[in-house]
Each structure stands twice: as structure tokens, then as C-alpha cells.
């Protein structure tokens, strides 16, 4: 090979090597553990900068594993767990580790089923050995030996990290990479698959969000716009009322479905609560139900209590919509959907706001014009009566 060509290839190779970020150049296969530990199989996990290393021993169905979180914060905890029942954290058999205030590492096992605070406890399978270390390169690592069963040789795995709070593991984020850190592991053939597309729980949360955004956040405001503005037009007749009732009733029906999915999500997620979102949802459902029941007690227009019923109806209606919009944005912050849904809903609100502003100006102009016309007619009629009386007197 020509020397100049060889020199060019060497220079290009060196340039590529220097330009590759350390995070990409460093893979699980070339990581060196302390204590001369080595593992025959490893996989870089797709979320949270983690990797799983292991040696599987088929003779006694044990696995020596190392779960590593690179760039770990000393104020965070890490965990890796197996869950043969479902691809989720709740109900999993977990290994947890964190750095204590004296600088030492603490590693233990816990079952995340009815134990949301991650207190130490035994697992459904034996863990003869578990230790942890915080390496000089900023990696937090859990070492353990697992006594596997047939069902655990290929099963779901979940890994997480979260902040320490008061010396104990605190609640981790449920969005972003934390919401996608789930997959499967096969200790026998060494395969790891990511199931971070859309889990059934994520699908339920998305359905819950869509139902409530459409019902309380769109149909209800549209129903208010119909009632406030269409009745000003004489040509609308009683149609505005029927459209208002249809819109609000449909919104309530869809909202009940969305509320029910929220209740189901809560029951399926023990230890996971969103206080503000849940409490607002309960209040909104209660106010919406009151509005529906109020239709059954609606007085006739000429009834002496109709004025008070209108005040109640309008107050509860506007309050429900304002709280609903606020709670929808609370939900967007919980959903792992980026800003796409939030931006789309803001666009809907802007459109409804523009429509309301235009209709407000238009209907006020109609009302003012009618009042002027009525006043002129009354004045003209008064002059006509006065003239007739003068003629009779003469």
C-alpha cells in the first residue's frame, strides 16, 4: 500500500476516534470492573445510561449479575428488577442501591408490591449475595447472585433511578426515559429486548387524557359558547338550547368514561399518586354531575326562582370549565407525550378564545342595536300618542 494512502487512512481513523463522544465509545463490552470481575454477556440498556452484565450457570440455574448506571449522582438511588407477571415496576422483585451519608454503599432487595416505599424485604427467589459500589468513573453498580427459576430465565426487567429523600429512596419520575425503562432479558441466550414503545399502562393513560381533554376541555366550553351566543340570534330559535344540552350531555358522558379510566389507573398503580390531579378530577366530576342533575330541577322561565337557578347554573358551569382546563394541563405534565399534546390543546383553546371574542363583540353589537331600535320605537310611539291627545283636546 502506498505510504501516503496508509498515512491518510491512519489520520482518518484517528480523527474518527477522537470525534466519537466517550458515551458512544464506551460500551458494556469494554468496561472494566473492580476486583477482577468479568462477565461473559452484557447489554447496553436503551434508557437511563445503564447496562446489564451477567454470567449464567445452567448447572444450578444461577446468574451473577452486575447492573451499572453510568454518570450516577451520589444523591440518587438506582434499582434493577425482574417482574415475571407484567412489564412494569409495580409488583417487581427489585435490587436497590444508594450511597449513604457516610460515603458507603447500601444494597438490598425489596418487593414493589404493596411496598411503595421500597423498604428492605425478601424476594420470591433467593439472592445469596448482593453488594454495591460507586466507582471512580462515576458509575453506581449493583452486584448480585440470583437463584433463577424456569420462569425467570427469560422474563421482564425494569430499571430505575430516583432521588434520595430524607435518607430513603424517593419517588422517581414517571415521564421521559424513566417511563420507558422496561424490557425483557433472557439469561440463557443473552438477549435483551426493549419494550419501550407503548405499554398497556401508557395506552390507558393516553386514553384517559384524550377522553378528558375532549369532554371537559373542548365539548364543555363549546356548549357554553353555544348557550351564551347563539340564543342572541332570533333565527336560532330553540335550537341553541337543544345544541347546548346535546353538547354538555355528550361532554359529561365522555368525561365519565375518562374519569373511570383514571380510577382504574389509580387502582392499578399502588403507591403512585398525583394528589392535585386526582383531587381536581374528583371536584370536576362532582360539579359536572350537579350540572346534569340541575337540568331536572330547571324552573320555567317565568318562575320566581328561575333567576337564582340561572346564577347557580352559570357559576357552576364556568367553574367546572376553568378547573377542567387547569387539570388537563396537570395531566399533560404527567403524560409522557412531550409538548405535542399540550401545544395542540393550546391551539384549540386559542381557537375557541378567538371565536368567543368575535361572538362577544358581534352579539353585543346586536343587543345594543336592538335596544336603540326599541328605544326609538318607544319614543316614536310616545310622540304619536301625545299628538293624538293634543288633537282630541283641540
Amino acid at each position: 500500500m502506498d505510504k501516503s494512502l496508509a498515512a491518510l487512512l491512519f489520520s482518518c481513523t484517528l480523527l474518527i476516534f477522537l470525534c466519537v463522544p466517550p458515551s458512544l465509545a464506551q460500551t458494556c463490552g469494554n468496561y472494566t470492573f473492580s476486583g477482577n470481575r468479568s462477565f461473559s454477556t452484557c447489554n447496553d440498556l436503551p434508557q437511563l445510561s445503564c447496562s446489564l452484565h451477567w454470567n449464567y450457570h445452567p448447572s444450578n440455574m444461577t446468574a451473577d449479575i452486575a447492573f451499572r448506571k453510568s454518570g450516577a449522582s451520589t444523591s440518587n438511588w438506582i434499582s434493577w428488577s425482574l417482574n415475571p407477571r407484567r412489564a412494569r415496576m409495580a409488583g417487581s422483585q427489585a435490587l436497590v442501591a444508594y450511597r449513604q451519608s457516610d460515603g458507603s454503599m447500601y444494597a438490598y432487595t425489596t418487593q414493589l408490591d404493596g411496598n411503595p416505599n421500597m423498604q428492605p424485604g425478601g424476594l420470591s427467589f433467593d439472592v445469596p449475595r448482593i453488594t454495591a459500589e460507586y466507582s471512580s468513573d462515576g458509575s453506581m453498580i449493583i452486584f448480585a447472585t440470583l437463584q433463577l427459576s424456569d420462569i425467570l430465565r427469560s422474563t421482564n426487567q425494569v430499571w430505575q433511578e430516583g432521588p434520595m429523600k430524607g435518607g430513603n429512596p424517593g419517588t422517581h419520575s414517571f415521564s421521559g426515559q424513566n417511563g420507558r425503562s422496561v424490557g425483557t432479558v433472557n439469561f440463557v441466550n443473552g438477549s435483551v429486548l426493549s419494550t419501550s414503545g407503548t405499554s398497556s399502562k401508557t395506552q390507558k393513560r393516553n386514553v384517559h387524557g384524550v377522553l378528558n381533554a375532549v369532554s371537559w376541555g373542548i365539548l364543555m366550553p363549546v356548549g357554553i359558547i353555544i348557550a351564551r351566543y347563539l340564543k342572541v340570534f332570533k333565527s336560532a330559535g330553540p335550537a341553541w338550547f337543544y345544541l347546548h344540552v346535546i353538547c354538555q350531555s355528550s361532554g359529561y358522558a365522555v368525561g365519565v368514561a375518562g374519569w373511570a379510566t383514571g380510577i382504574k389507573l389509580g387502582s392499578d398503580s399502588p403507591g403512585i399518586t398525583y394528589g392535585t390531579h386526582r383531587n381536581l378530577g374528583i371536584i370536576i366530576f362532582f360539579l359536572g354531575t350537579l350540572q346534569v342533575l340541575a337540568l331536572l330541577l330547571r324552573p320555567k322561565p317565568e318562575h320566581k326562582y328561575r333567576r337564582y337557578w340561572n346564577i347557580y347554573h352559570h357559576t357552576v358551569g364556568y367553574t367546572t370549565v376553568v378547573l377542567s382546563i387547569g387539570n388537563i394541563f396537570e395531566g399533560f405534565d404527567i403524560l409522557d407525550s412531550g409538548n405535542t399534546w399540550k401545544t395542540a390543546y393550546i391551539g384549540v383553546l386559542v381557537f375557541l378564545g378567538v371565536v368567543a371574542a368575535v361572538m362577544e363583540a358581534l352579539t353585543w353589537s346586536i343587543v345594543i342595536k336592538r335596544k336603540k331600535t326599541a328605544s326609538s320605537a318607544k319614543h316614536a310611539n310616545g310622540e304619536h300618542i301625545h299628538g293624538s291627545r293634543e288633537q282630541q283636546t283641540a
Side-chain angles (χ1 to χ4, degrees):
M1 181 183 293
D2 186 82
K3 290 184 178 181
S4 59
L5 179 59
L8 179 61
L9 290 174
F10 175 78
S11 300
C12 291
T13 303
L14 180 62
L15 182 61
I16 293 173
F17 176 79
L18 293 175
C19 291
V20 173
S23 59
L24 295 179
Q26 179 75 48
T27 62
C28 68
N30 56 30
Y31 186 79
T32 302
F33 291 95
S34 63
N36 294 321
R37 296 183 180 93
S38 63
F39 298 91
S40 60
T41 307
C42 75
N43 276 281
D44 290 302
L45 302 177
Q47 311 295 337
L48 300 176
S49 302
C50 296
S51 59
L52 181 66
H53 311 246
W54 73 88
N55 294 319
Y56 176 65
H57 309 287
S59 59
N60 58 4
M61 289 179 61
T62 61
D64 300 317
I65 68 101
F67 171 71
R68 180 172 66 94
K69 159 65 181 174
S70 62
S73 170
T74 55
S75 60
N76 280 3
W77 55 266
I78 64 169
S79 75
W80 175 83
S81 60
L82 298 177
N83 194 337
R85 291 185 294 174
R86 64 200 77 172
R88 55 189 292 186
M89 195 73 172
S92 64
Q93 313 288 310
L95 314 180
V96 184
Y98 59 84
R99 192 172 185 177
Q100 301 181 101
S101 57
D102 61 2
S104 63
M105 290 296 297
Y106 178 49
Y108 64 95
T109 61
T110 182
Q111 288 197 53
L112 300 178
D113 193 356
N115 180 24
N117 295 324
M118 300 176 68
Q119 296 302 308
L123 305 184
S124 62
F125 54 90
D126 290 334
V127 181
R129 179 184 64 89
I130 179 171
T131 60
E133 70 175 31
Y134 190 84
S135 63
S136 58
D137 66 352
S139 294
M140 192 176 290
I141 309 170
I142 299 175
F143 298 101
T145 298
L146 313 179
Q147 180 62 63
L148 303 176
S149 60
D150 288 335
I151 194 173
L152 292 177
R153 289 189 298 177
S154 179
T155 188
N156 300 306
Q157 65 168 338
V158 187
W159 60 100
Q160 276 296 344
E161 69 168 341
M164 295 295 296
K165 187 174 182 180
N168 294 304
T171 304
H172 64 80
S173 172
F174 294 94
S175 61
Q177 294 193 42
N178 294 85
R180 300 190 296 268
S181 55
V182 61
T184 62
V185 57
N186 189 314
F187 290 102
V188 179
N189 64 22
S191 66
V192 168
L193 298 177
S194 171
T195 57
S196 59
T198 304
S199 66
S200 61
K201 183 176 180 180
T202 300
Q203 290 176 341
K204 290 178 183 177
R205 293 169 81 179
N206 290 342
V207 170
H208 169 71
V210 170
L211 290 176
N212 285 293
V214 170
S215 58
W216 305 106
I218 297 178
L219 289 176
M220 291 291 187
V222 168
I224 289 178
I225 290 174
I226 289 172
R228 179 169 177 80
Y229 301 117
L230 287 190
K231 64 182 178 183
V232 175
F233 299 91
K234 293 181 178 180
S235 59
W240 72 265
F241 174 74
Y242 297 113
L243 286 174
H244 171 68
V245 171
I246 291 172
C247 202
Q248 302 300 80
S249 299
S250 301
Y252 179 76
V254 176
V256 168
W259 189 75
T261 59
I263 296 296
K264 184 67 170 66
L265 281 169
S267 65
D268 289 344
S269 308
I272 301 174
T273 57
Y274 302 97
T276 302
H277 187 64
R278 179 192 61 189
N279 294 335
L280 283 175
I282 293 172
I283 293 171
I284 291 165
F285 177 74
F286 174 74
L287 293 177
T289 303
L290 282 182
Q291 284 290 76
V292 173
L293 294 176
L295 289 174
L296 304 176
L297 303 174
R298 180 170 172 261
K300 294 182 180 295
E302 64 275 6
H303 197 281
K304 62 179 181 179
Y305 291 124
R306 177 59 179 263
R307 177 173 176 271
Y308 302 107
W309 185 90
N310 285 340
I311 294 174
Y312 152 81
H313 186 61
H314 295 160
T315 301
V316 174
Y318 285 118
T319 302
T320 302
V321 168
V322 170
L323 291 178
S324 297
I325 292 174
N327 206 30
I328 287 168
F329 282 102
E330 281 282 332
F332 286 148
D333 292 336
I334 296 171
L335 282 174
D336 179 24
S337 57
N339 292 320
T340 305
W341 287 17
K342 183 182 290 187
T343 302
Y345 184 63
I346 290 174
V348 172
L349 290 182
V350 169
F351 173 75
L352 292 178
V354 171
V355 171
V358 172
M359 294 298 291
E360 188 76 20
L362 179 60
T363 51
W364 267 110
S365 66
I366 292 174
V367 170
I368 292 173
K369 184 177 180 180
R370 284 177 183 170
K371 286 184 177 180
K372 288 182 178 180
T373 302
S375 178
S376 298
K378 183 178 180 181
H379 181 69
N381 187 47
E383 288 183 348
H384 175 71
I385 294 174
H386 182 67
S388 299
R389 288 178 178 173
E390 286 181 347
Q391 289 177 3
Q392 291 175 3
T393 302

